[in-house]
């Protein structure tokens, strides 16, 4: 039986609608949540991501502003910019779009963001809150995956969860969230022995690797839920053929654009998994929706009692 497709667009729309309702309720108390996005230089991929984030803010009713220092910005200049955003009361969330140019000390800049405004959840204080199960801001991609699992009524407690990838942005916080939700969690990486065998233990398998189609059918226990975080551009026709040969729609896109977006999970996995996220249209849309949700949450946490009574997000 083919896998159930977990529709990220649909769940993201629900989350955005909830954030919009919360923003509306907060406006009754005279509060408008605000997000500042810092975009350094002219990285085309970053520009696309930031455009999506700003557009989403407009839809939800969040105030947003973009700060765009040049590519030759120094660490000190960025620290000053972050300090200014930290001071401003109308800014609830600060997002520094990564990657930063090589001359900038990225860790120092991320550490300078006020943890109460750290809507990416990357500050060590928020990492600590997550690992000790205290309220805080959680990285958007793994938080979105938890929303997807919960809203799709996929059982987590007591299940075997395997996370492939241990980045600070996805793999580690994902593992922590699944552990906090009472899954039995294994985290894998490039040094893991017999990765397919470890992955086959999973009731829930999360792939956050950055390698197109690496998770093939032999990694997946029949009926498992497979979450594909990967976003890889495939441009090589031979590689494309190993992934999508015979898929007329993809072949047409590939011919037209010379590239296609592929996850870390091979399309053949849909034949064995119980449920699976597509790429595109799976985890990607949830990431931006959770940024909206995190900005509302930051506004409520920062502004405390003035908004405590208002809605759930
Ligand atoms: P990352 O920082 O490069 O981490 C990749 C992880 O995969 C590392 O832990 C690495 O292990 C592991 N890995 C690499 N090759 C492996 C192999 N052959 N076997 C086992 N493990 C292997 O990447 P990331 O930032 O977590 O992102 C992962 C993917 O998710 C990328 O495709 C990225 O574009 C995508 N992404 C998507 C979203 C979204 O919104 N959909 C958000 C963020 C990221 P080591 O630690 O041993 O090197």
């Amino acid at each position: 039986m083919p896998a159930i497709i977990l529709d990220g667009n649909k769940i993201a729309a629900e989350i955005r609608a909830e954030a919009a309702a919360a923003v509306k309720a907060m406006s009754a108390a005279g509060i408008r949540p605000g997000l500042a996005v810092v975009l350094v230089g002219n990285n085309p991929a970053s520009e696309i991501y930031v455009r999506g984030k700003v557009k989403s803010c407009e839809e939800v009713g969040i105030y947003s502003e973009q700060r765009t220092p040049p590519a030759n910005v120094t660490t000190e200049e960025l620290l000053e910019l972050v300090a200014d955003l930290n001071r401003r009361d109308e800014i609830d969330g600060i997002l520094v779009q990564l990657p930063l140019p090589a001359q900038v000390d990225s860790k120092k800049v991320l550490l300078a963001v006020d943890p109460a405004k750290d809507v990416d959840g990357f500050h060590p204080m928020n990492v600590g809150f997550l690992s000790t199960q205290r309220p805080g801001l959680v990285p958007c991609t793994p938080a979105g995956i938890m929303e997807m699992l919960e809203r799709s009524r996929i059982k987590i407690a007591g299940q075997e969860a395997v996370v492939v990838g241990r980045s600070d942005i996805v793999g580690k916080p994902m593992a922590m969230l699944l552990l906090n939700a009472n899954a039995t969690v294994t985290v894998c990486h490039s040094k893991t022995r017999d990765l397919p065998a470890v992955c086959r233990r999973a009731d829930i398998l999360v792939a956050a690797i950055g390698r197109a189609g690496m998770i093939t059918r032999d990694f997946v226990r029949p009926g498992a839920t497979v979450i594909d975080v990967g976003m890889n551009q495939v441009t090589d026709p031979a590689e494309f053929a190993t992934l999508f040969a015979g898929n007329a729609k993809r072949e047409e896109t590939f011919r037209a654009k010379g590239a296609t977006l592929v996850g870390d999970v091979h399309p053949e996995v849909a034949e064995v998994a119980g449920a699976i996220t597509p790429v595109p249209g799976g985890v990607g849309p949830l990431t931006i929706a959770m940024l909206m949700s995190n900005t509302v949450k930051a506004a409520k946490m920062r502004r405390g009692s003035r908004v405590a009574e208002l809605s759930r997000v």
Side-chain angles (χ1 to χ4, degrees):
M1 208 170 65
I4 294 167
I5 304 297
L6 300 171
D7 185 346
N9 285 317
K10 180 169 162 271
I11 295 170
E14 283 171 20
I15 294 167
R16 281 199 307 274
E18 288 162 15
V23 170
K24 202 168 166 204
M26 290 166 89
S27 71
I31 290 167
R32 184 173 186 203
L35 175 69
V37 181
V38 180
L39 172 63
V40 178
N42 306 96
N43 178 330
S46 295
E47 283 172 354
I48 293 172
Y49 293 142
V50 167
R51 222 176 294 141
K53 288 166 185 176
V54 169
K55 185 165 164 263
S56 194
C57 283
E58 281 164 15
E59 279 168 23
V60 168
I62 291 173
Y63 165 77
S64 74
E65 71 179 46
Q66 262 189 75
R67 304 291 286 266
T68 51
N72 63 355
V73 70
T74 64
T75 302
E76 284 63 38
E77 285 163 344
L78 271 183
L79 290 175
E80 260 170 50
L81 172 54
V82 168
D84 175 51
L85 295 170
N86 283 343
R87 271 190 301 269
R88 285 175 51 201
D89 191 46
E90 73 278 21
I91 297 296
D92 296 289
I94 301 170
L95 184 149
V96 181
Q97 185 67 41
L98 300 176
L100 292 172
Q103 80 276 8
V104 173
D105 184 341
S106 300
K107 286 201 170 168
K108 212 168 173 181
V109 173
L110 294 181
L111 200 60
V113 173
D114 179 347
K117 298 188 178 190
D118 169 38
V119 281
D120 260 339
F122 295 162
H123 193 285
M125 191 175 277
N126 281 315
V127 176
F129 286 154
L130 174 60
S131 74
T132 53
Q133 293 184 268
R134 291 178 166 88
L137 294 163
V138 177
C140 298
T141 301
I145 292 168
M146 292 306 285
E147 289 289 334
M148 175 175 262
L149 293 172
E150 283 158 10
R151 289 170 195 245
S152 308
R153 301 195 191 294
I154 287 165
K155 188 168 178 253
I156 302 173
Q159 302 295 93
E160 289 273 350
V162 175
V163 180
V164 189
R166 56 174 164 181
S167 69
D168 292 343
I169 296 169
V170 188
K172 281 186 205 159
M174 184 76 253
M176 198 52 77
L177 284 164
L178 288 163
L179 183 62
N180 289 350
N182 295 317
T184 301
V185 183
T186 305
V187 184
C188 302
H189 45 77
S190 64
K191 307 288 183 293
T192 298
R193 255 190 300 132
D194 199 355
L195 186 64
V198 179
C199 289
R200 277 195 302 273
R201 294 211 304 256
D203 300 302
I204 300 170
L205 176 62
V206 181
I209 311 161
R211 285 173 189 255
M214 195 188 104
I215 301 294
T216 49
R217 118 192 345 254
D218 54 319
F219 287 64
V220 179
R221 178 203 284 190
T225 296
V226 179
I227 305 293
D228 189 355
V229 186
M231 291 199 330
N232 312 288
Q233 281 290 347
V234 169
T235 52
D236 173 20
E239 189 180 12
F240 175 84
T242 66
L243 294 159
F244 294 113
N247 181 331
K249 207 171 155 211
R250 284 278 188 163
E251 283 173 351
E252 197 187 313
T253 319
F254 191 70
R255 261 196 306 275
K257 294 189 177 166
T260 194
L261 187 67
V262 182
D264 291 338
V265 176
H266 195 289
E268 69 181 18
V269 168
E271 294 159 25
V272 281
I276 191 165
T277 59
V279 176
V283 173
L286 290 169
T287 299
I288 296 189
M290 291 313 292
L291 177 64
M292 302 300 108
S293 177
N294 268 358
T295 304
V296 172
K297 188 176 173 186
K300 287 185 180 177
M301 292 197 308
R302 279 185 62 243
R303 302 180 197 225
S305 58
R306 281 193 292 160
V307 286
E309 302 304 313
L310 301 170
S311 93
R312 196 183 66 85
V313 178

